[in-house]
Amino acid sequence: MARGCEHPIGCHTGALPTRASATVGARLWLLIEYAGPWPSHLESFELPEKISELVRRALERGIRPQLIRRPGRRTRPREQGIRVLVAYATGQRPWMAGGVVAGPDDLDLDALVAGVVPESCILEDEPVFLVCTHAKRNACCARIGLPLARSLADSLPDRVWETSHVGGDRYAANLVCLPHGIFYGSMSQAAALAAANAYRSGEIILDRYRGRAGIPEPLQAVEHFARVHTGERSVGAVAVESFRSDGDVTKAIVRCGDVRFQVVVEPSALSAPCGTACAETITTYRLVSLDRLAPVRYATPALT
């Protein structure tokens, strides 16, 4: 544990499990480039008027706002207006689009909610990678995230951004892959590059995988265990088709390619190396059972 870090031992190294910890309430994203000081909480609106208004409108519509800036850059961009990126991270075909707007009235966030690209934006043909470096929210994010963001940007120029709080400070450095909203935590520079390259190829690496944003944590766990069992890496090849929760236990039907499984998970207290106190503050999920389902064969009545 580094000086000034209050997180349990192993959180930042990958020694503790990261599964099923992606931000649940984030299926729509608004990224706003702002190189000025970031407040500890965006909802405090301690930002320039136009930026604050964009944040406010996003929050009203259930869109997750993030401040972003290029790694190592602390000066304002030369272009006029505000650079924005929007992501629709739901459904079978997530997408991203970007543009430069003069102000909040030039960005149609209602279009994003409807799954339509705003008129002021154009589709992006490459993924975007966010590394949390939000020092005012948690010092560990800056201490670990800043060098990782710069290293990743060296390998993937123009696709990497520093970003404000994404959730899960104990898992710094955190990496978010958009448009799908894939979360990774406790990332080293090598692990981040491997995860980014895998995502560019349409795949997920399970090492330090936190889950997909916008999905309830038990279902993130269900997906994780299904992938571990089958070895399936394709981003879109695993989907929860139905689920039911009974108390803390969640039972789900999961499709992996052409095969279906019944997966049952439940919360589990984490046995952290620092003792009982840490275990009381961190929970994860354990696999109760995983069973392959027989294919459904539909009988066709005989013609008469």
Side-chain angles (χ1 to χ4, degrees):
M1 184 180 298
R3 182 178 180 182
C5 176
E6 299 178 353
H7 300 125
I9 295 171
C11 276
H12 302 312
T13 64
L16 298 183
T18 58
R19 63 177 173 267
S21 62
T23 300
V24 171
R27 290 197 165 198
L28 308 172
W29 297 71
L30 169 61
L31 316 181
I32 309 165
E33 184 175 11
Y34 179 61
W38 294 351
S40 60
H41 294 75
L42 270 62
E43 57 269 27
S44 69
F45 303 112
E46 298 171 2
L47 291 160
E49 182 179 354
K50 291 182 179 181
I51 304 292
S52 288
E53 180 62 14
L54 280 169
V55 170
R56 184 187 67 79
R57 293 186 184 187
L59 292 171
E60 286 179 348
R61 291 162 173 79
I63 300 169
R64 181 170 183 109
Q66 297 284 143
L67 299 180
I68 58 172
R69 61 193 172 208
R70 288 300 186 191
R73 181 183 296 174
R74 295 296 181 269
T75 58
R76 298 179 186 276
R78 295 180 181 178
E79 62 189 9
Q80 298 296 317
I82 305 167
R83 178 169 174 76
V84 296
L85 291 162
V86 294
Y88 187 77
T90 188
Q92 294 296 317
R93 297 182 179 274
W95 51 262
M96 286 203 71
V100 177
V101 298
D105 292 339
D106 293 332
L107 181 61
D108 185 358
L109 292 178
D110 290 326
L112 173 61
V113 173
V116 178
V117 177
E119 289 186 0
S120 55
C121 299
I122 59 174
L123 284 172
E124 298 271 324
D125 57 5
E126 285 285 337
V128 163
F129 302 98
L130 307 179
V131 179
C132 181
T133 61
H134 201 167
K136 285 188 178 179
R137 192 65 178 258
N138 190 279
C140 291
C141 293
R143 176 176 62 83
I144 309 173
L146 282 168
L148 187 146
R150 291 167 183 164
S151 172
L152 193 59
D154 287 341
S155 298
L156 299 170
D158 301 326
R159 307 317 303 168
V160 179
W161 298 86
E162 295 180 23
T163 193
S164 52
H165 177 69
V166 297
D169 301 324
R170 63 168 59 96
Y171 301 118
N174 282 298
L175 173 69
V176 182
C177 309
L178 290 174
H180 283 82
I182 302 299
F183 270 58
Y184 289 94
S186 308
M187 299 299 275
S188 65
Q189 294 180 16
L193 181 58
N197 283 333
Y199 183 64
R200 295 177 73 206
S201 299
E203 295 186 338
I204 288 171
I205 291 178
L206 286 179
D207 181 35
R208 310 190 189 192
Y209 176 51
R210 291 183 57 190
R212 183 171 174 180
I215 299 174
E217 289 179 352
L219 302 188
Q220 294 180 35
V222 164
E223 181 211 346
H224 176 92
F225 289 121
R227 288 185 180 277
V228 169
H229 180 76
T230 62
E232 181 60 67
R233 292 174 50 128
S234 175
V235 172
V238 179
V240 176
E241 294 187 333
S242 63
F243 73 96
R244 176 173 57 85
S245 294
D246 184 5
D248 288 337
V249 177
T250 297
K251 180 185 295 185
I253 304 301
V254 188
R255 175 184 55 79
C256 295
D258 296 328
V259 181
R260 286 175 172 79
F261 296 89
Q262 178 179 275
V263 185
V264 182
V265 299
E266 66 180 5
S268 175
L270 182 67
S271 298
C274 49
T276 305
C278 293
E280 292 176 349
T281 60
I282 300 178
T283 59
T284 184
Y285 287 83
R286 77 174 191 89
L287 178 64
V288 177
S289 63
L290 189 154
D291 299 294
R292 180 169 177 165
L293 300 178
V296 176
R297 290 182 170 85
Y298 297 96
T300 302
L303 295 178
T304 58

